[in-house]
């Protein structure tokens, strides 16, 4: 069984040894948004959704609950939770959408920016500033906390009724905490010491195939499973997805065209991008490997917004609206006749610029809806291509001549071709849409000896669907546009900041 701990939904799936999902279920996760920048998800609500989802999956696969051999976890990789000695939620689960910690993050970045990237592997940590935020803003509550965790560690501890000292976090989550030494795979004494966090409050760091405990009798009865099933650490959704998509050899790469689009390039060591700061690093589920990674915050959310706002008709479903947007954009020539977008509506994460917002520029009366939509597709492709350029410089020993593509964007007949043309390399879509869940299932099977070789298992059960080869007749146009995109993203943050400040002053007046 794989359990995916998402922001909006919990998903669970039962897989057989041939890689087929024989039953799946999904449960919404309740959240509270009492004010601007506040996004609260209570641990008890999350856990209730997990139990309901596991129970549903078992019910849909009749008479299989007793044959589940292991359970592994995947899901959101960026957040923070503090619990007491009895696993009671003290802080609530604070994911990346909960921005109350931002003033503390900015202060930490001024002090520890270089160390966070050089040692911790990230341009913008989550757990490190959220620890300070909660300690300063809620001092009495923070005294009750015994462990700071990721959401998967909380769920595993509850399902297995573990002692609090048995709390774990698998290494795939370590980077975005900002607290780890990524080359050594341990908590960084230097970083933790600099913010006053004792390591006794941190979970034990373990491998993704580590068996953390076993399903308790109480929760076995509630879910329809047998008690004693091994609970396997699993990996964050980005890393688990790389395993499920067979991105398991140095030189492999993938573009996950999802809500938070991301490229991940498999490498054998971490080399920080101190010059341009376009890359983070994630520890792979397979020991000894890493992913040099770059994500565009909210890229898929921006495309949803564009289609819903400018394309979708009153009675039209979203899928049909996306297809129509693709058709309109396909009629537009590469480079959008001199028009360009910056699609980073939520700011730039790599390199970090929270002031940057969305921009359409260079348009006149000749530009239509197709131009605007295509310009967004091109903008994200420029962004990822600039990151891939840094990967090529930092890791010249690999060819980087092909990139797999998954996620909602891979369903488009246009965007993979744009990506191929702008990066200059073939983009290949896959025949699986469940790579994160399947990756977690591989980890579960490996932990109990069903899949002895994770690499071979991953390669065996995913196939290429379609190749989009780069068309080099537009290289000159796209290279010029990419340079312009880079120049504008470097300077536009300041203009956007002035606009925001002007709006704030107007609101006050």
């Amino acid at each position: 069984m794989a359990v995916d701990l998402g922001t909006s939904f919990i998903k669970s799936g039962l897989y057989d040894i041939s890689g087929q999902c024989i039953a799946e279920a999904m449960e919404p996760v309740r959240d509270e948004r009492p004010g601007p920048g506040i996004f609260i998800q209570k641990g008890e609500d999350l856990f209730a959704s997990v139990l309901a989802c596991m129970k549903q999956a078992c019910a849909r696969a009749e008479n299989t609950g007793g044959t589940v051999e292991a359970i592994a976890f995947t899901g959101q990789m960026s957040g923070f939770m503090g619990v007491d000695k009895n696993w009671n939620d003290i802080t609530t689960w604070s994911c990346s959408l909960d921005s109350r910690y931002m003033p503390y993050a900015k202060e930490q970045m001024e002090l520890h920016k270089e160390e966070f990237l050089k040692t911790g592997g990230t341009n913008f940590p989550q757990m490190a500033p959220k620890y300070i935020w909660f300690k300063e803003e809620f001092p009495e509550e923070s005294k009750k906390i015994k462990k700071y965790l990721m959401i998967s560690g909380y769920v595993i501890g509850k399902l297995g009724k573990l002692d609090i000292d048995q709390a774990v976090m698998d290494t795939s989550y370590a980077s975005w905490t900002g607290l780890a030494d990524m080359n050594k795979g341990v908590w960084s004494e230097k970083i933790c010491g600099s913010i006053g966090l004792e390591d006794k409050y941190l979970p034990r760091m373990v491998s993704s195939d580590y068996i953390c405990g076993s399903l308790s009798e109480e929760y076995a009865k509630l879910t329809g499973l047998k008690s004693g099933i091994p609970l396997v650490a699993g990996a964050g959704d980005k890393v688990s997805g790389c395993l499920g998509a067979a991105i398991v050899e140095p030189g492999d790469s993938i573009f996950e065209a999802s809500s938070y689009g991301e490229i991940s390039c498999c490498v054998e060591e971490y080399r920080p991008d101190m010059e341009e700061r376009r890359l983070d690093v994630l520890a792979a589920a397979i020991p000894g490997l890493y992913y040099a990674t770059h994500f565009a915050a909210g890229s898929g959310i921006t495309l949803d917004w564009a289609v819903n706002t400018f394309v979708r008709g009153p009675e039209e479903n979203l899928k049909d609206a996306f297809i129509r947007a693709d058709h309109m954009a396909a009629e537009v020539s590469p480079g959008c006749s001199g028009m360009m977008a910056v699609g980073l509506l939520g700011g730039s994460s790599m390199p970090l610029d929270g002031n940057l917002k969305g921009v359409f520029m260079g348009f006149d009366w000749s530009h239509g809806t197709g131009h605007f939509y295509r310009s967004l597709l091109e903008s994200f492709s420029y962004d990822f291509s600039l990151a891939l350029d840094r990967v090529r410089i930092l890791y010249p020993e690999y060819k980087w001549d092909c990139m797999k593509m998954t996620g909602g964007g891979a369903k488009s007949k246009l965007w993979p071709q744009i990506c191929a043309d702008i990066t200059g390399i073939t983009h290949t879509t896959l025949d699986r849409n469940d790579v994160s869940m399947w990756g977690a299932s591989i980890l579960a099977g490996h932990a109990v000896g069903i899949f002895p070789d994770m690499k071979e298992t991953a390669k065996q059960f995913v196939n290429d669907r379609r190749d989009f080869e780069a068309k080099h007749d537009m290289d000159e146009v796209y290279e010029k546009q990419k340079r312009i995109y880079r120049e504008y993203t470097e300077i536009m943050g300041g203009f956007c900041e002035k606009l925001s400040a002007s709006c704030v002053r107007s609101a006050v007046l």
Side-chain angles (χ1 to χ4, degrees):
M1 175 179 278
V3 180
D4 185 350
L5 307 165
T7 304
S8 301
F9 294 93
I10 304 295
K11 293 186 287 187
S12 62
L14 289 166
Y15 286 79
D16 63 22
I17 59 173
S18 65
Q20 297 297 310
C21 183
I22 60 174
E24 60 183 341
M26 184 165 65
E27 276 286 317
V29 176
R30 187 168 169 265
D31 64 64
E32 299 174 19
R33 310 182 194 195
I38 304 175
F39 189 90
I40 294 171
Q41 290 180 315
K42 295 178 179 178
E44 294 76 11
D45 293 337
L46 278 160
F47 190 62
S49 292
V50 169
L51 293 174
C53 198
M54 292 169 67
K55 182 177 181 178
Q56 277 189 48
C58 288
R60 290 173 183 173
E62 297 178 5
N63 302 318
T64 59
T67 64
V68 174
E69 295 300 319
I71 305 170
F73 302 83
T74 185
Q76 49 188 312
M77 298 184 65
S78 186
F80 155 95
M81 174 181 269
V83 299
D84 68 14
K85 64 179 181 179
N86 296 315
W87 296 92
N88 294 311
D89 174 15
I90 303 299
T91 62
T92 76
W93 168 245
S94 175
C95 71
S96 58
L97 298 176
D98 184 14
S99 59
R100 290 175 289 172
Y101 74 109
M102 283 302 295
Y104 297 91
K106 291 177 180 177
E107 182 179 333
Q108 277 193 0
M109 288 299 291
E110 290 176 3
L111 295 171
H112 310 300
K113 179 179 179 180
E114 299 302 306
E115 197 64 30
F116 280 141
L117 182 57
K118 183 179 179 181
T119 302
T122 184
N123 283 277
F124 196 67
Q126 287 277 314
M127 188 178 284
K130 289 195 174 191
Y131 161 72
I132 296 295
W133 158 68
F134 198 82
K135 182 180 178 182
E136 293 294 324
E137 299 289 331
F138 306 94
E140 293 305 313
E141 290 297 298
S142 70
K143 293 176 183 178
K144 302 175 185 178
I145 295 172
K146 295 298 180 184
K147 290 290 179 183
Y148 293 97
L149 304 164
M150 296 299 290
I151 188 64
S152 60
Y154 169 73
V155 170
I156 290 169
K158 295 274 285 184
L159 286 173
K161 293 185 175 291
L162 305 182
D163 185 86
I164 195 64
D165 291 329
Q166 294 176 291
V168 299
M169 178 191 295
D170 91 272
T171 53
S172 73
Y173 291 96
S175 172
W176 289 339
T177 67
L179 300 170
D181 184 324
M182 291 305 296
N183 275 317
K184 296 179 180 178
V186 298
W187 298 116
S188 168
E189 292 184 12
K190 184 175 182 179
I191 296 175
C192 292
S194 69
I195 67 171
L197 176 57
E198 297 179 60
D199 61 6
K200 70 179 182 180
Y201 293 108
L202 294 170
R204 185 159 52 99
M205 211 178 294
V206 298
S207 62
S208 297
D209 62 349
Y210 180 77
I211 296 176
C212 311
S214 58
L215 184 64
S216 69
E217 187 173 345
E218 177 186 353
Y219 295 125
K221 289 179 179 177
L222 285 173
T223 56
L225 294 161
K226 62 185 178 183
S227 63
I229 298 174
L231 301 172
V232 180
D237 54 5
K238 304 298 184 185
V239 172
S240 185
C242 285
L243 177 59
I247 308 302
V248 293
E249 299 289 354
D252 289 347
S253 62
I254 189 169
F255 170 30
E256 181 196 357
S258 60
S259 297
Y260 275 56
E262 177 170 333
I263 63 166
S264 299
C265 304
C266 188
V267 296
E268 294 175 285
E269 64 179 32
Y270 172 44
R271 301 170 190 170
D273 180 18
M274 304 303 293
E275 183 176 340
E276 294 194 13
R277 309 183 76 91
R278 293 188 185 275
L279 302 172
D280 279 2
V281 69
L282 300 174
I286 295 174
L289 296 178
Y290 299 88
Y291 297 109
T293 186
H294 173 95
F295 70 86
S299 55
I301 297 170
T302 296
L303 294 176
D304 280 354
W305 163 82
V307 170
N308 276 307
T309 305
F310 303 113
V311 178
R312 189 178 181 184
E315 304 299 325
E316 190 176 21
N317 66 52
L318 187 58
K319 179 181 177 181
D320 289 342
F322 263 105
I323 292 171
R324 197 158 55 83
D326 254 21
H327 288 162
M328 287 189 288
E331 296 297 318
V332 175
S333 60
C336 296
S337 302
M339 179 185 171
M340 180 177 283
V342 174
L344 302 172
L345 274 63
S348 173
S349 299
M350 303 176 196
L352 182 63
D353 185 353
N355 293 316
L356 188 62
K357 296 293 184 288
V359 180
F360 288 109
M361 53 193 154
F363 58 95
D364 58 28
W365 294 303
S366 68
H367 294 90
T369 304
H371 292 84
F372 282 83
Y373 186 66
R374 184 181 182 111
S375 70
L376 284 173
L377 296 178
E378 289 183 348
S379 77
F380 294 127
S381 302
Y382 296 139
D383 204 73
F384 290 119
S385 184
L386 288 168
L388 185 59
D389 289 345
R390 294 302 300 161
V391 172
R392 289 177 174 129
I393 290 170
L394 290 167
Y395 300 93
E397 64 267 39
Y398 308 120
K399 291 183 178 179
W400 309 117
D401 56 359
C402 179
M403 183 167 287
K404 308 294 186 184
M405 189 168 175
T406 61
K411 299 174 184 177
S412 166
K413 294 180 180 179
L414 176 64
W415 198 11
Q417 188 62 59
I418 291 175
C419 291
D421 294 344
I422 289 177
T423 60
I425 64 174
T426 299
H427 277 57
T428 302
T429 58
L430 304 177
D431 65 351
R432 296 198 77 115
N433 297 318
D434 60 346
V435 289
S436 290
M437 295 267 281
W438 171 232
S441 297
I442 293 174
L443 287 165
H446 179 69
V448 295
I450 294 172
F451 300 135
D453 190 319
M454 287 194 287
K455 285 186 177 182
E456 292 307 312
T457 302
K459 293 174 185 178
Q460 183 180 354
F461 295 113
V462 65
N463 298 295
D464 296 346
R465 173 171 285 166
R466 179 179 174 184
D467 290 335
F468 292 82
E469 296 183 0
K471 298 175 182 177
H472 295 287
D473 55 325
M474 295 305 298
D475 283 358
E476 186 177 352
V477 171
Y478 276 140
E479 276 301 315
K480 286 181 179 178
Q481 292 287 92
K482 189 168 76 171
R483 286 196 296 271
I484 294 170
Y485 175 86
R486 176 176 178 159
E487 291 171 8
Y488 272 100
T489 53
E490 288 173 352
I491 64 173
M492 288 302 296
F495 291 101
C496 293
E497 184 179 20
K498 289 179 182 178
L499 283 172
S500 296
S502 175
C503 289
V504 170
R505 285 197 297 271
S506 297
V508 171
L509 292 173

